[in-house]
Structures are given as structure tokens and as C-alpha cells.
Amino acid sequence: MLKKYLMPFVAILLLSGCAASTNTLDISPKIQLPQQDPSLVGVTVSVNGADQRPDQALTKVNRDGKLVTLTPSRDLRYLLQEVLEKQMTARGYMIGPNGAVDLQIVVNKLYADVTGGNVRYNITTRADISIIAQAKNGSKQVKNYQSLYNVQGAFRATNDKITCAVDSVLAGVINDMANDSSVNSFIKQNAR
């Protein structure tokens, strides 16, 4: 009788332990929006994203002697495209397919270098994001945004700690994008 109930219980425990460990990171950086530009009247821009990283992994971590690859739960090009669309809308632009200027946000580099073991960890995240603005008159501007974030701590670098580090480095880039007016100036000069 005991064997009848004990075996399913042990199986459930083992399966729940496997389900708890995941190789995806839920990336959701804080989004800062720029001030509205009152001089914009009816200017439409198109926005798309691209991910040019050679490897889609955010990091590769040594866990219990095995190399574990961690990837984002969401496609980064769409995440950053959504961020850029929100920032452009906050400035006062309309988003549409046939804009006066085409914007492309490109993920050149986003990676978390995780070192350490069971006693201490070190996470260094780097982001390199470009915004390419192409006007219908042939003018082009490429603006690069780079950020570096480092955190150290005791014990292991858990998925949550790695996620926080990636979110922090992306929040730094997004903040720089919100505070930079060069793309806005390019659009205003070439959207005629």
C-alpha cells in the first residue's frame, strides 16, 4: 500500500525539480521615455529591429560541471523595436510603414560574462545597440549606444541575478536613447 503512494509522490518531486530549472531569462528592462517635442506635426517614421549577434545566447554558465546556455524568453529585436516605438511616440512621432524616415534598431552585442562558483560570482554585462536612420532623400545616420554593468556577490549567479544584470545594462542603453536628441534632430532635418 505504501509503495502504491510513494512511487508517484517521488516521481512528482523529481519532475517538479526539473521544471523549476529553466534556461530562459525573462528580460524586461525599465523603459525611460523622452520629453515630447511640440514642434512635431504629423511626422511618421517606420521602425524595425534586427539582431546581429553571432550567438543568440545571453550567457553560458558552468553549473555543476555542465555548461548551460541561457537565452532570452523573448526575441530581443522585437523587445528593442517596441522600446524605440514607444520612445518615438512619446516624442510625438506617428509610427507607420511608409515613414519619412526608416529607423532600424540593431542589437550588435548583448552578453553577460558570468564567472565564479558556489562561493562568489561576478557578472559583467555589455550592450552595444545601434539606431540606423535612413531618410527618403538618401541621408543616413548611424548612432551607437553602449553600456557596461558589473555586479559581484556571494554564492551563485542565479538566473534571477543574471536577469537583473542584463536588465540593468539594457536600461542604461534605453536611458541613453531617451536622453539623446541626435536621432530626433536627424529626422526633423530630413523628414521634408
Side-chain angles (χ1 to χ4, degrees):
M1 180 83 166
L2 181 64
K3 191 175 185 181
K4 179 179 175 184
Y5 294 109
L6 187 60
M7 291 304 285
F9 180 72
V10 170
I12 289 172
L13 281 177
L14 288 173
L15 288 175
S16 66
C18 293
S21 63
T22 177
N23 292 346
T24 59
L25 303 177
D26 186 21
I27 304 302
S28 56
K30 182 180 176 192
I31 298 174
Q32 181 172 344
L33 299 177
Q35 296 289 326
Q36 184 172 4
D37 185 342
S39 68
L40 296 175
V41 179
V43 177
T44 302
V45 295
S46 67
V47 179
N48 67 55
D51 189 348
Q52 296 188 351
R53 298 175 302 145
D55 188 350
Q56 300 306 304
L58 286 175
T59 190
K60 295 182 179 172
V61 183
N62 187 346
R63 295 216 170 123
D64 300 323
K66 294 180 182 175
L67 193 62
V68 177
T69 301
L70 301 178
T71 57
S73 61
R74 186 170 172 202
D75 192 329
L76 292 175
R77 64 184 163 166
Y78 294 124
L79 172 71
L80 289 169
Q81 177 181 332
E82 183 181 297
V83 167
L84 184 58
E85 286 175 355
K86 286 180 180 179
Q87 288 184 340
M88 291 292 110
T89 302
R91 286 192 195 275
Y93 291 102
M94 294 184 292
I95 307 298
N98 295 317
V101 176
D102 298 324
L103 299 176
Q104 182 178 43
I105 187 161
V106 180
V107 184
N108 300 312
K109 181 186 283 185
L110 180 60
Y111 193 76
D113 186 19
V114 181
T115 57
N118 293 330
V119 179
R120 291 207 51 78
Y121 69 86
N122 183 53
I123 305 170
T124 303
T125 52
R126 289 177 175 80
D128 182 351
I129 310 292
S130 298
I131 295 178
I132 303 168
Q134 180 77 48
K136 299 296 182 207
N137 66 11
S139 297
K140 183 177 181 177
Q141 176 187 5
V142 178
K143 182 68 182 179
N144 290 319
Y145 302 93
Q146 298 177 343
S147 185
L148 174 71
Y149 179 81
N150 181 268
V151 64
Q152 299 175 358
F155 305 113
R156 284 187 140 179
T158 63
N159 284 7
D160 287 341
K161 292 173 185 171
I162 297 168
T163 299
C164 286
V166 173
D167 281 346
S168 294
V169 78
L170 277 176
V173 167
I174 292 167
N175 185 41
D176 290 347
M177 288 166 44
N179 292 322
D180 181 27
S181 61
S182 64
V183 174
N184 187 38
S185 297
F186 175 84
I187 295 169
K188 286 167 70 172
Q189 291 170 3
N190 293 283
R192 297 186 183 109

